[in-house]
């Protein structure tokens, strides 16, 4: 999933995953993938919400366990980690592995190019891309060129 997100570009991938979530909100894999993508762009609180939902939908099984543990570590949610241990039998080994994954994620984000002053936030960028795509679906009026020409 990480390679696919990087290839497509995170804003575009997030947009597709958000749409998939709206079409299949009770599918644990979709919610897990969306939560993972949110983590990759630093939206940890949003990721934790999606991943908690995915964990419930998956009855506490599957890769979402690790992803949620990482989200809890990234948000410093010790109560969430304790709930994973008590409610889902999350082991110390799983916690240790989640800690390694969270370190990897922090390093990835630290090594990535920082956003410049003029760059848009991910949600605003996604919304802008959606509007731009919608504008291409509308034909340009014949009179458009006349509106932009000077009479000089």
């Amino acid at each position: 999933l990480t390679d696919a997100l990087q290839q497509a570009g995170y804003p575009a991938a997030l947009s597709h995953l958000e749409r998939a979530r709206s079409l299949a909100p009770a599918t644990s894999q979709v919610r897990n993938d969306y939560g993972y993508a949110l983590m990759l762009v630093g939206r940890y609180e949003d990721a934790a919400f999606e991943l908690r939902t995915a964990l419930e939908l998956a009855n506490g099984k599957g890769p979402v366990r690790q992803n949620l543990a990482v989200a809890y570590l990234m948000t410093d949610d010790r109560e969430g980690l304790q709930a994973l241990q008590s409610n889902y039998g999350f082991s110390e080994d799983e916690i240790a592995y989640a800690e390694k994954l969270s370190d990897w994620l922090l390093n990835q984000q630290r090594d990535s190019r920082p956003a410049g002053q003029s760059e848009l936030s991910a949600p605003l960028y996604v919304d802008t891309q959606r509007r731009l795509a919608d504008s291409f679906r509308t034909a340009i009026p014949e009179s458009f060129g006349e509106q932009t020409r000077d009479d000089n």
Side-chain angles (χ1 to χ4, degrees):
L1 181 62
T2 304
D3 292 338
L5 287 169
Q6 287 174 340
Q7 243 178 358
Y10 289 112
L14 279 173
S15 177
H16 291 299
L17 287 167
E18 187 175 341
R19 177 145 169 77
R21 184 200 62 178
S22 69
L23 294 171
T27 304
S28 65
Q29 186 63 47
V30 169
R31 301 298 283 258
N32 178 60
D33 290 352
Y34 183 50
Y36 183 78
L38 289 168
M39 259 198 313
L40 291 177
V41 297
R43 292 176 51 193
Y44 306 122
E45 294 289 338
D46 294 333
F49 173 81
E50 293 299 327
L51 294 166
R52 268 192 305 274
T53 303
L55 183 73
E56 292 169 9
L57 291 168
N59 296 316
K61 296 178 171 80
V64 68
R65 292 168 58 93
Q66 281 297 305
N67 293 340
L68 182 55
V70 172
Y72 282 155
L73 287 166
M74 300 303 278
T75 58
D76 198 30
D77 186 347
R78 297 293 168 190
E79 290 177 18
L81 286 171
Q82 289 173 349
L84 279 176
Q85 288 177 304
S86 62
N87 297 337
Y88 297 100
F90 212 72
S91 70
E92 290 298 323
D93 287 342
E94 287 175 299
I95 297 280
Y97 186 68
E99 288 171 345
K100 287 181 184 177
L101 290 175
S102 65
D103 287 343
W104 173 84
L105 182 58
L106 285 172
N107 287 332
Q108 290 291 312
Q109 291 170 350
R110 194 177 1 252
D111 294 341
S112 67
R113 184 179 65 84
Q117 291 287 346
S118 65
E119 291 185 341
L120 302 173
S121 66
L124 184 57
Y125 180 82
V126 169
D127 185 54
T128 302
Q129 291 299 309
R130 283 185 189 145
R131 290 179 188 203
L132 183 60
D134 288 343
S135 73
F136 282 112
R137 292 185 188 107
T138 305
I140 298 173
E142 290 295 322
S143 62
F144 182 77
E146 296 169 7
Q147 297 170 4
T148 60
R149 291 189 191 122
D150 285 335
D151 289 334
N152 297 337

